[in-house]
Amino acid sequence: MELSFSGLGILRLWALFLVSVIIEAIEALPLANTPEVFGLHSNAEIGYYTQAARALWGHLLELQPQTGESSTGISRDDYIGNVAKDIENKMPKVFDLDQVRKNLGMGVSPTSVVLLQELERFNKLVIRMSKSLVELQRALAGEVGMSSELDDVAKSLFLGHIPNIWRKLAPDTLKTLGNWMIYFLRRFSQYTSWVGDRQQSLCRFKGQSVLPHTISQTPASVPQ
């Protein structure tokens, strides 16, 4: 039997094997192709399996009962309310940008501009978090309706994830909610130390003055 791969019949393949032999060879092929098939190193699939495992655990968490009481005897709404209250109690105050600009004086350096920009972004995040936490607790108490946005916040707090409305205003990260809150409070302490030091302690690197910990070196730039 002759197989042609072009209309002109230039490319041809002579099938010299029996159908049973071909079927046996096909069935012997692996069900999943390894990176070597595409000319990649075997380590190329590490990222794929990492994402697959993370997605699997996320789906398992979402399959947890969403109503009734848990094994600890506390209902879902009570658990979410406790988490929201705990985070609310840890929320820092927003920075007074006008006072910070006043303390910096007229000679605003490039590092001061970066600091002011970061403080402005941080303030927006703090305001959004505080507002959503208050609204969520009121919704759980039945004082206001539970919107789709608040429902997403409640679901994220229950599963230990960062709510999407917070994630939009925060640096990209793969941290869980608990680890992210630790980083969030540390970032506030870092900003507070910079604001408290009017001179903004500088470190020398190749003849240039930069902040002690540049924004690109913060934990947010290395999502884990």
Side-chain angles (χ1 to χ4, degrees):
M1 181 177 62
E2 180 181 345
L3 300 178
S4 176
F5 289 91
S6 69
L8 298 177
I10 299 176
L11 300 178
R12 299 179 180 180
L13 174 64
W14 293 91
L16 302 179
F17 302 99
L18 298 176
V19 175
S20 60
V21 176
I22 296 176
I23 294 177
E24 183 180 353
I26 293 175
E27 292 179 345
L29 295 175
L31 297 178
N33 293 325
T34 60
E36 289 85 349
V37 176
F38 304 99
L40 302 175
H41 192 271
S42 58
N43 289 341
E45 61 183 356
I46 294 179
Y48 164 76
Y49 284 120
T50 300
Q51 295 179 6
R54 186 177 290 111
L56 177 61
W57 281 110
H59 294 326
L60 290 175
L61 290 175
E62 293 176 356
L63 289 174
Q64 294 184 104
Q66 302 295 314
T67 58
E69 294 186 355
S70 63
S71 59
T72 58
I74 184 173
S75 66
R76 176 180 182 272
D77 289 350
D78 290 340
Y79 176 81
I80 295 173
N82 293 338
V83 174
K85 187 65 176 178
D86 181 60
I87 296 178
E88 183 185 15
N89 293 335
K90 297 178 180 179
M91 288 301 298
K93 296 181 179 179
V94 296
F95 291 97
D96 188 344
L97 297 182
D98 292 334
Q99 185 62 39
V100 173
R101 292 189 180 95
K102 182 179 179 180
N103 293 339
L104 293 175
M106 297 298 295
V108 179
S109 64
T111 54
S112 300
V113 174
V114 174
L115 175 60
L116 290 172
Q117 292 174 344
E118 289 299 310
L119 293 180
E120 183 177 0
R121 296 189 184 97
F122 191 82
N123 281 351
K124 291 180 180 179
L125 176 59
V126 171
I127 294 173
R128 193 70 186 92
M129 291 176 63
S130 301
K131 182 179 179 181
S132 61
L133 289 171
V134 172
E135 292 178 349
L136 176 59
Q137 293 180 78
R138 293 185 60 192
L140 293 175
E143 299 177 3
V144 296
M146 179 71 76
S147 64
S148 59
E149 186 177 83
L150 292 179
D151 185 64
D152 177 74
V153 175
K155 181 180 179 181
S156 298
L157 296 185
F158 181 71
L159 299 178
H161 298 162
I162 304 173
N164 290 328
I165 59 175
W166 300 0
R167 191 182 294 275
K168 293 178 181 178
L169 300 175
D172 292 337
T173 180
L174 296 178
K175 295 179 182 294
T176 59
L177 179 62
N179 291 331
W180 183 80
M181 281 302 302
I182 296 175
Y183 155 75
F184 174 79
L185 297 176
R186 287 179 177 176
R187 194 175 183 87
F188 171 73
S189 300
Q190 186 181 44
Y191 288 155
T192 302
S193 65
W194 287 355
V195 172
D197 184 4
R198 295 183 56 184
Q199 301 300 322
Q200 293 187 31
S201 301
L202 303 177
C203 64
R204 298 289 174 177
F205 180 71
K206 293 186 179 180
Q208 296 180 348
S209 297
V210 296
L211 286 172
H213 303 283
T214 59
I215 302 303
S216 61
Q217 294 175 331
T218 56
S221 64
V222 186
Q224 293 293 337

